[in-house]
Amino acid sequence: MPSEKTRMLAGELYDGQDPELVADRLRARELSQVLVALPPGANAERADLLAQLFRAPTDAYVTPPFFCDYGWNINLGRNVYFNVNCVILDVARVNIGDNVLLGPAVQIYTPLHPMAAAERRSGLEYARPVSIGDDVWIGGGAIICPGVSIGPRSVVGAGSVVVKDVPADVLVAGNPARIIRSLVQE
């Protein structure tokens, strides 16, 4: 019988209160709290802490506070910048490309709950991955919903709620986000 973590990673219904998953979330929370407490200029300590959180070396700059469920389910490209108060609920894989800018209070969600109330009461949930291409800028307060992919070089306007895939080279904004214009230089 597969573990709850295996079910979670497969996108199946799983129990988020499983002790292994709870321990992983507590680990991420503790590392995030240590990040907040680091003094300015503690670059070596910051790099070590981020490598522990994401379980891979990274040159990302994370401005605390930063919140995530697990950390190890976030794949970061090079030169990624997180402004203050970013939240990534990384129940499913979150892939972030190179040269991505996330404004303050950007929220990236992967978890979902069943639509049927009786099934929701069971406490089981599932998730869909999020993918953000290279050179994307996500404005402050934007929310990226489960299962969304954002194409390279696109811009998400501040406060937008992205509920469907965004093609490359466009500006999207609004709730729900819609294409405002192309960013292709002619």
Side-chain angles (χ1 to χ4, degrees), residues 5-176:
K5 186 173 188 175
T6 300
R7 287 184 179 142
M8 180 186 88
L9 295 173
E12 300 170 3
L13 286 171
Y14 74 97
D15 179 2
Q17 296 309 309
D18 175 72
E20 179 184 16
L21 296 174
V22 170
D24 279 0
R25 287 194 303 273
L26 288 174
R27 174 192 163 277
R29 186 174 304 144
E30 289 168 0
L31 290 170
S32 294
Q33 288 172 348
V34 173
L35 180 65
V36 169
L38 286 177
N43 296 334
E45 294 90 344
R46 184 177 313 280
D48 180 57
L49 189 65
L50 292 176
Q52 289 178 58
L53 180 63
F54 299 119
R55 293 205 177 151
T58 179
D59 69 348
Y61 190 86
V62 178
T63 308
F66 170 78
F67 308 93
C68 65
D69 276 335
Y70 300 103
W72 49 256
N73 219 9
I74 301 169
N75 181 43
L76 296 173
R78 291 172 289 135
N79 196 35
V80 174
Y81 176 76
F82 292 90
N83 210 318
V84 298
N85 287 321
C86 286
V87 174
I88 301 180
L89 302 184
D90 57 318
V91 172
R93 190 71 161 164
V94 175
N95 290 308
I96 299 175
D98 296 337
N99 307 306
V100 172
L101 302 172
L102 289 95
V106 166
Q107 300 173 59
I108 300 172
Y109 303 148
T110 66
L112 292 157
H113 300 279
M115 288 292 132
E119 199 172 11
R120 263 195 320 277
R121 280 193 300 271
S122 74
L124 299 179
E125 58 186 60
Y126 64 105
R128 295 292 176 258
V130 168
S131 180
I132 299 170
D134 294 342
D135 300 299
V136 168
W137 173 23
I138 301 176
I143 297 172
I144 311 302
C145 290
V148 166
S149 291
I150 299 175
R153 299 169 305 281
S154 286
V155 175
V156 176
S160 297
V161 179
V162 183
V163 298
K164 62 182 183 175
D165 290 352
V166 174
D169 300 302
V170 296
L171 166 65
V172 298
N175 181 4

